[in-house]
Amino acid sequence: MRDPEEDSGVHVGGDAYGSVRVNPRRVRRSARGARTRRRGLVIAGALSCLVLGSSGVTWALTNYATTKIEAVDAGIQGSRSSTGAMNILVVGVDKRDNLTRKQQNQLKLGRETGERTDTMMVIHVSEDHRKVTVVSLPRDTWTAIPGNGEHKINAAYQFGGPKLTTRTVQAVTGLTIHHYVEVNVLGFIEVVDALGGISVCTPVPINDPKTALNLEPGTYSFDGVKALAYARTRATARSDLDRIDRQQQVISALLNQALSGETLTNPVRLASFVDTALDTIRVDDALRGDLLGLADQLKDVSTDDVTFATVPLADVDYKTPTGESAVLWDKAAAKELFRRIAADETLVKPSKPSKPPKATPTPTASPSAPALTVAPSRIALTVLNGTTITGLGAQTKADLQRVGFLVPEIPGNTPQKDFDKTVIRYGPGREDSARTVAAALPGANLRPVESLGDKIEVVVGRKHERAKKVTVKETAAPTPVATPTATPTARTATDNICKK
């Protein structure tokens, strides 16, 4: 299912493990003036929309952001209010004619001129701004493009730019698009590097001479150039469909890294990340005027709250009348998927235990204790001070971050100040994660609370101990199979995060 135009990649090195990379000084010096006009990839834009809020950045940067970001006319009447449910179309634009020949050779981007969309995603923000759903639209989707007949969906940008792309996506999904974001490839590289790199894992081998990737199944730490190569390669069984999975995994890794203590407690890294993220995107005028307002609305979103969905497919190797290889959606199942998204329905429902367990002490290392299955790096927590001891919440937050947990929110206080022991409160379906937290906090009690939804809270008591590191043995992801998906599949960003 390869596309003749897909001959591009990123030069990483002879075996993808070396240190060969694009010279940052030369690339940046020649790239800054035209950065928003270059070839794009969706990941940096999706990250900008999600993480600027998730990381709790509440700086007074509205004027700065407005001058930093370029506006684009996508033909939509987006609301200037950052409240309420909304759908954001994120597009990576493939434009090569503004790169020098040397840059094209270094990044192996080819010689084609013009613009095309490399990737498209629809990001749905729920009415209460507590949930985010990301749906990847396969670039090889065969669909009607208004006024131009049937083509692959990525041709819409070539025919009519952002306006026609937005119209096409609205027509095929049935969703109203409220905002538009466009991103570029060099910006993606710099976003990853600003975060200090990311960790990704492949369940299958990848051998792609075009991107110089030669990977065995396993986990790898990548800088920006290597991460881009990993997100772009189609050299696996399901081609573009596997690439979608990898791109969603990369976004999850970026979210995890941005929310980690290594970023949030490092002012230099945080400032570099925010500055770089703002510099990678073009957005519609309404979003440009209130991007930070939306970010503030999303400040409590964690990796548990971000869901990635795939469009149900009826044919993954459809032969078009023009002889191309494309994919066809399962129209009925896709219609139901987008109906559920528009209705703010949760796609990943927690599995409720048959009988809510009673409060139990911390799991011990006894033979009867069930094995831990969720790593700290995949668990987002809220910390509350249940005592009169000033600063205990902040101290516990730092302690939990030290041993690998995600604590994106500022610690709060409970109305009652008489907690003797630390209590771990968790919602339905979060028992496995709660047991990991309990293993890291000796002496803490577990307490299921139905009203918490999918949240986990740590209420610190007077008799508390320092958090300790725990080891979790996680199973490898299954090998993908090249088959259509009759029903939508969905995973949270937490599920996508690789164990380091």
Side-chain angles (χ1 to χ4, degrees), residues 274-298:
V274 173
D275 187 65
T276 303
L278 290 175
D279 211 18
T280 67
I281 60 178
R282 295 199 306 168
V283 303
D284 65 274
D285 190 60
L287 184 58
R288 178 172 175 258
D290 197 28
L291 182 62
L292 294 183
L294 175 60
D296 186 58
Q297 289 281 322
L298 295 172

Side-chain angles (χ1 to χ4, degrees), residues 231-243:
R232 284 185 48 77
T233 181
R234 305 201 326 173
T236 49
R238 301 189 311 155
S239 190
D240 190 50
L241 303 181
D242 280 344
R243 181 166 72 167

Side-chain angles (χ1 to χ4, degrees), residues 345-369:
E345 294 182 14
T346 302
L347 300 183
V348 179
K349 295 185 180 295
S351 56
K352 295 186 178 181
S354 55
K355 290 184 179 180
K358 297 180 180 180
T360 56
T362 303
T364 63
S366 64
S368 60

